[in-house]
Amino acid sequence: TALDLLVTNSVDIAGFQFQVIGGILSNASGGIAAENQFIISSSGFGVVLALRTVQTTKITTSSAGVARL
């Protein structure tokens, strides 16, 4: 089962990290994080981390799907 992670932000996002509780996370990818050249990694422990790869790349003010879990 896939889950889209949605975000509504009023400031630019340079990176994010969160934990999914109550399940096993097998993959995270796509969304505006990938479109903005973020490195998206995940672990089976439910931690998702997205870091920018280019200093100037940020997710600008938006309301969109940031990644798919």
Side-chain angles (χ1 to χ4, degrees), residues 5-9 13 16 29-38 40 57-68:
L5 174 64
L6 304 177
V7 64
T8 300
N9 55 303
I13 298 173
F16 60 87
S29 63
I32 58 175
E35 290 172 13
N36 285 282
Q37 301 174 343
F38 280 51
I40 304 171
T57 302
K58 294 182 181 175
I59 296 173
T60 57
T61 302
S62 66
S63 180
V66 72
R68 174 164 281 192

Side-chain angles (χ1 to χ4, degrees), residues 4-58:
D4 288 327
L5 174 64
L6 304 177
V7 64
T8 300
N9 55 303
S10 58
V11 296
D12 293 350
I13 298 173
F16 60 87
Q17 178 177 346
F18 66 92
Q19 183 174 8
V20 177
I21 298 173
I24 297 172
L25 185 61
S26 62
N27 190 23
S29 63
I32 58 175
E35 290 172 13
N36 285 282
Q37 301 174 343
F38 280 51
I39 295 172
I40 304 171
S41 64
S42 61
S43 74
F45 299 108
V47 176
V48 174
L49 175 64
L51 301 172
R52 62 183 178 205
T53 59
V54 179
Q55 286 277 19
T56 58
T57 302
K58 294 182 181 175

